[in-house]
């Protein structure tokens, strides 16, 4: 794969390579954060110095279906020893699904000093780089976060309904079977409770994984991404766009690609996604 | 129907550790002692008829009959991220090998919940339960063949 800076991305700085990470393992201004679906992966081995940011335990409210509050974010950042000036570099399993999801949640609190390690855990391990089970201990940091600001990057159902009425751009990043309504969960995943199958009217079906190179989990070049999203699927980067999946994790990956790599001006992630839409009374559904 | 004693003992041990970190360490200790199927039983490329369905860790399972009428299980986990699958494979191999097919056929996939609890991720759950189902199916097939 070509160097990140040679791929034509609108915002190449938001991606770092495994080489870059290897060179910054002891950089105190950088904090590596591993976010996985499988909670056993981090304790089984992670990049030296990396902390774990778990999507359920650290990012989600433990009672309501929502994200942590400002105070929760401050507690998290204190635990991982990060200040507002710390560069957080996320990486993880599943080709960085959860890394992008964590990255997106961090944007709700305005922590823009964040990066994704291109290729994630799979690339790092394929390259035979160092892994450890040693959990680092960082001195608790003082982090004063702003109140969570959802509007710039997060869409709620009411906004999605208005968006549908306005014939706005939507991207359904689930599998083609989920989009068609023949399946209500990911292949090989349990059905997590959607009563209806199908997709939000006029949503384009662009499964998230088409944005990556399967062999090493890296993002495709800007040219390839543009072919996929703009040329083939007729998405206009200048128009408001909403991405969704099942609970907002896969669509975080697409959100990241559209916002930072292709420079979509107004792209939001609808984290309620199909588990909300497919259970809601009276909302329009297409099959 | 009570669980086989070795399996029950392992579940009891997990039940003694309510703290997620302790359970994680216990699971990792099983993953660490996972032994891949020996070459005398199977070599790559493994036959797809041994592939556990719905398991993203690409787990394979083999069952051998011993002369005394008991079974032995072997596993392979091809996904390098399949730590949970390796842990479960080690548990199943150690607790069910040496038992009669009829006893193994009674083991149900809900043991996965008892073992993994909060350590189970949404995607892993189905795959891990499929591993138990695969073992169970092999045992049931053996029961039928003996009737």
């Amino acid at each position: 794969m070509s160097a990140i800076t040679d791929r034509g991305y609108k915002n190449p700085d938001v991606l770092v390579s495994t080489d870059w990470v290897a060179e910054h393992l002891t950089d105190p201004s950088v904090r590596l954060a591993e976010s996985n679906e499988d909670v056993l992966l981090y304790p089984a081995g992670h990049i030296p110095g990396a902390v774990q940011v778990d999507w359920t335990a650290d990012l989600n409210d433990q009672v309501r279906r929502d994200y942590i509050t400002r105070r929760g974010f401050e507690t998290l950042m204190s635990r991982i020893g990060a200040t507002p000036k710390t560069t957080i570099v996320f990486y993880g399993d599943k080709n960085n699904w959860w890394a992008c999801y964590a990255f997106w949640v961090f944007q709700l609190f305005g922590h823009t000093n964040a990066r994704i390690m291109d290729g994630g855990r799979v690339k790092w391990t394929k390259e035979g780089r160092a892994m450890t089970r040693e959990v680092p201990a960082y001195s608790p940091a003082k982090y004063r976060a702003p109140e969570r600001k959802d509007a710039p990057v997060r869409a709620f159902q009411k906004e999605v309904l208005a968006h549908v009425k306005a014939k706005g751009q939507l991207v359904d990043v689930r599998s083609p079977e989920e989009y068609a309504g023949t399946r209500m969960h990911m292949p090989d995943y349990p059905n997590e409770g959607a009563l209806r199958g199908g997709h939000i009217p006029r949503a384009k079906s662009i499964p998230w994984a088409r944005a990556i190179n399967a062999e090493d989990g890296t993002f495709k070049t800007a040219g390839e991404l543009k072919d996929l999203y703009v040329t083939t699927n007729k998405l206009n980067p200048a128009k408001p766009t909403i991405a969704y999946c099942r609970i907002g994790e896969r669509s975080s990956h697409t959100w990241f690609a559209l916002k930072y790599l292709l420079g979509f001006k107004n792209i939001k992630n609808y984290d309620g996604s199909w588990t909300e839409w497919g259970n809601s009374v009276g909302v329009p559904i297409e099959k | 129907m009570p669980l086989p004693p070795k399996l029950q003992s392992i579940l009891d041990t997990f039940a003694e550790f309510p703290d997620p970190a302790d359970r994680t360490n216990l699971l990792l200790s099983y993953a660490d002692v996972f032994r891949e199927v020996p070459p005398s039983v199977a070599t790559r490329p493994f036959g797809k008829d041994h592939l556990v369905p719905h398991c993203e860790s690409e787990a394979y399972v083999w069952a051998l009959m011993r002369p005394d009428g008991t079974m032995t299980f072997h596993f392979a986990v091809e996904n390098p991220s399949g730590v949970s699958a390796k842990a479960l494979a080690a548990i199943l191999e150690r607790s069910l090998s040496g038992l009669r097919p009829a006893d193994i056929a009674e083991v149900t996939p809900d043991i996965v919940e008892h073992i993994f609890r909060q350590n189970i991720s949404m995607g892993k759950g189905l795959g891990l339960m499929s591993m138990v189902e695969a073992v169970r199916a092999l045992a049931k097939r053996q029961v039928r063949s003996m009737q």
Side-chain angles (χ1 to χ4, degrees):
Chain A
M1 192 63 196
S2 56
I4 290 167
T5 48
D6 296 338
R7 295 187 212 157
Y9 299 142
K10 288 282 185 187
N11 301 282
D13 293 346
V14 83
L15 274 183
V16 294
S17 66
T18 50
D19 282 340
W20 187 95
V21 169
E23 289 161 11
H24 290 79
L25 287 181
T26 56
D27 184 340
S29 69
V30 172
R31 184 71 70 248
L32 296 172
E34 180 165 328
S35 289
N36 299 317
E37 178 186 313
D38 187 346
V39 291
L40 280 187
L41 273 183
Y42 174 86
H46 49 266
I47 298 177
V51 296
Q52 183 175 30
V53 175
D54 181 63
W55 70 281
T56 48
D58 291 320
L59 301 179
N60 283 359
D61 185 282
Q62 296 303 299
V63 180
R64 295 181 304 153
R65 183 177 176 185
D66 203 351
Y67 298 104
I68 49 177
T69 61
R70 174 179 62 81
R71 179 166 290 188
F73 188 71
E74 287 174 346
T75 303
L76 167 63
M77 296 305 258
S78 175
R79 175 178 73 75
I80 67 173
T83 72
K85 290 182 177 173
T86 304
T87 300
I88 308 290
V89 177
F90 292 101
Y91 73 97
D93 65 351
K94 301 272 187 183
N95 298 314
N96 279 331
W97 268 13
W98 302 98
C100 289
Y101 183 80
F103 180 104
W104 174 74
V105 173
F106 272 48
Q107 301 319 299
L108 302 177
F109 297 96
H111 194 99
T112 54
N113 193 10
R115 312 276 186 274
I116 294 288
M117 184 179 84
D118 196 32
R121 198 184 153 97
V122 66
K123 188 166 192 288
W124 184 272
T125 52
K126 272 188 175 178
E127 290 171 347
R129 296 181 187 267
M131 298 287 269
T132 183
R133 285 190 176 183
E134 190 180 329
V135 176
Y138 295 107
S139 301
K142 282 222 169 201
Y143 193 108
R144 291 199 63 173
E147 288 300 329
R148 201 181 75 208
K149 200 172 173 185
D150 294 327
V153 293
R154 186 183 187 194
F156 289 93
Q157 190 182 45
K158 195 174 169 186
E159 182 179 354
V160 179
L161 274 166
H163 194 70
V164 170
K165 276 189 181 175
K167 296 186 170 26
Q169 295 184 145
L170 283 151
V171 188
D172 185 319
V173 315
R174 299 173 300 161
S175 64
E177 294 83 9
E178 290 170 276
Y179 178 83
T182 56
R183 182 195 291 278
M184 289 197 281
H185 52 93
M186 279 182 273
D188 297 342
Y189 272 57
N191 183 358
E192 290 182 295
L195 289 171
R196 291 289 184 268
H199 57 267
I200 299 176
R202 301 182 68 256
K204 300 281 176 67
S205 173
I206 315 175
W208 70 279
R210 291 190 191 164
I212 58 147
N213 297 299
E215 67 277 11
D216 63 1
T218 55
F219 281 99
K220 289 182 175 173
T221 65
E224 291 168 322
L225 295 175
K226 196 175 171 191
D227 277 349
L228 172 65
Y229 292 103
V230 180
T231 309
T232 305
N233 284 287
K234 312 291 182 204
L235 292 177
N236 183 340
K239 289 188 174 177
T241 309
I242 294 173
Y244 73 94
C245 56
R246 191 182 55 88
I247 58 168
E249 85 293 19
R250 284 174 285 179
S251 46
S252 296
H253 192 276
T254 298
W255 168 85
F256 180 88
L258 293 181
K259 182 175 178 66
Y260 296 101
L261 306 186
L262 284 185
F264 273 49
K265 298 290 180 208
N266 181 353
I267 168 79
K268 294 186 182 184
N269 184 23
Y270 169 38
D271 58 284
S273 277
W274 199 256
T275 50
E276 179 178 54
W277 198 272
N279 282 319
S280 295
V281 176
V283 298
I285 289 175
E286 272 181 3
K287 274 198 166 184
Chain B
M1 183 80 181
L3 287 171
K6 276 189 188 171
L7 182 57
Q8 185 61 58
S9 172
I10 290 172
L11 262 56
D12 290 344
T13 304
F14 274 98
E16 287 172 15
F17 293 102
D19 182 59
D22 292 335
R23 298 174 69 84
T24 296
N25 287 333
L26 192 54
L27 284 166
L28 285 181
S29 71
Y30 278 106
D32 287 343
V33 297
F34 167 74
R35 291 171 295 198
E36 188 174 90
V37 59
S40 57
V41 175
T43 54
R44 290 182 178 80
F46 300 134
K48 292 295 177 193
D49 49 334
H50 293 276
L51 182 65
V52 175
H54 311 301
C55 182
E56 61 179 14
S57 294
E58 295 174 66
Y60 290 78
V61 58
W62 292 262
L64 301 179
M65 281 306 294
R66 291 170 168 169
D68 64 357
T70 63
M71 298 182 83
T72 300
F73 292 96
H74 297 286
F75 296 86
V77 176
E78 293 294 82
N79 186 335
S81 296
V83 182
S84 302
K86 284 181 182 172
L88 182 62
I91 289 170
L92 295 174
E93 190 256 315
R94 281 153 188 264
S95 63
L96 301 183
S97 288
L99 298 180
R100 296 186 180 282
D103 297 324
I104 298 166
E106 297 295 331
V107 175
T108 56
D110 59 3
I111 63 164
V112 169
E113 273 185 51
H114 294 285
I115 293 169
F116 287 86
R117 284 202 202 167
Q118 61 274 76
N119 294 102
I120 200 167
S121 59
M122 59 182 171
K124 298 286 177 197
L126 194 65
L128 296 171
M129 286 192 274
S130 288
M131 286 176 69
V132 181
E133 278 291 5
V135 166
R136 200 180 181 202
L138 290 168
K140 281 182 176 176
R141 189 187 302 168
Q142 204 58 46
V143 169
R144 283 196 299 272
S145 72
M146 292 190 302
Q147 285 172 345

